[in-house]
Amino acid sequence: MAESKSTGGQGSAGKTTEADIQAQIDQLRDDIAGLTKLIGSLGGEKASEARERAEKFRDDATRRGQEAYDRAREEALSLEEDFEDHIRSRPLQSVLVAAGVGFLAALLTRR
């Protein structure tokens, strides 16, 4: 069984010296520093990918919202045109309907 000195001085063949331990510690420090850089770069890449996905989602949502707004606006304009055409084709009926709606509104607000 090999023994090592706790004082860490120079030892005989087959024993770990203080210089060997220091060299291993330095190597571990270098390895940890390299891993830290690697993890940092991977984290940066993942953050960049997440940011790109979020921007794409935002752009898609904005585009879909604008398309929905445009469709609703076109539908409202179409209904307005249809309503105007109906009033122009039947003016007397339209006036009587408007008068009836006004009369009902007046009755409801009196109470």
Side-chain angles (χ1 to χ4, degrees), residues 49-81:
E49 290 173 12
R51 186 174 26 260
E52 289 174 8
R53 284 194 307 263
E55 288 172 356
K56 183 180 182 302
F57 178 77
R58 181 201 61 208
D59 293 343
D60 289 346
T62 302
R63 180 183 46 79
R64 282 190 238 136
Q66 185 64 41
E67 289 172 357
Y69 170 78
D70 291 341
R71 283 193 307 269
R73 186 171 187 273
E74 289 173 9
E75 186 66 27
L77 291 174
S78 175
L79 288 173
E80 180 184 5
E81 290 173 2

Side-chain angles (χ1 to χ4, degrees), residues 38-53:
L38 178 63
I39 290 170
S41 68
L42 289 176
E45 291 174 11
K46 293 295 182 184
S48 177
E49 290 173 12
R51 186 174 26 260
E52 289 174 8
R53 284 194 307 263

Side-chain angles (χ1 to χ4, degrees), residues 12-98:
S12 62
K15 294 191 176 183
T16 305
T17 65
E18 186 176 331
D20 292 337
I21 293 172
Q22 189 61 43
Q24 289 177 358
I25 289 173
D26 291 339
Q27 181 62 42
L28 284 172
R29 283 185 185 145
D30 291 343
D31 291 345
I32 289 172
L35 287 173
T36 302
K37 287 179 184 177
L38 178 63
I39 290 170
S41 68
L42 289 176
E45 291 174 11
K46 293 295 182 184
S48 177
E49 290 173 12
R51 186 174 26 260
E52 289 174 8
R53 284 194 307 263
E55 288 172 356
K56 183 180 182 302
F57 178 77
R58 181 201 61 208
D59 293 343
D60 289 346
T62 302
R63 180 183 46 79
R64 282 190 238 136
Q66 185 64 41
E67 289 172 357
Y69 170 78
D70 291 341
R71 283 193 307 269
R73 186 171 187 273
E74 289 173 9
E75 186 66 27
L77 291 174
S78 175
L79 288 173
E80 180 184 5
E81 290 173 2
D82 292 345
F83 190 61
E84 286 178 6
D85 290 342
H86 181 73
I87 290 173
R88 290 181 197 278
S89 67
R90 299 187 178 119
L92 182 60
Q93 181 185 12
S94 300
V95 169
L96 291 174
V97 168

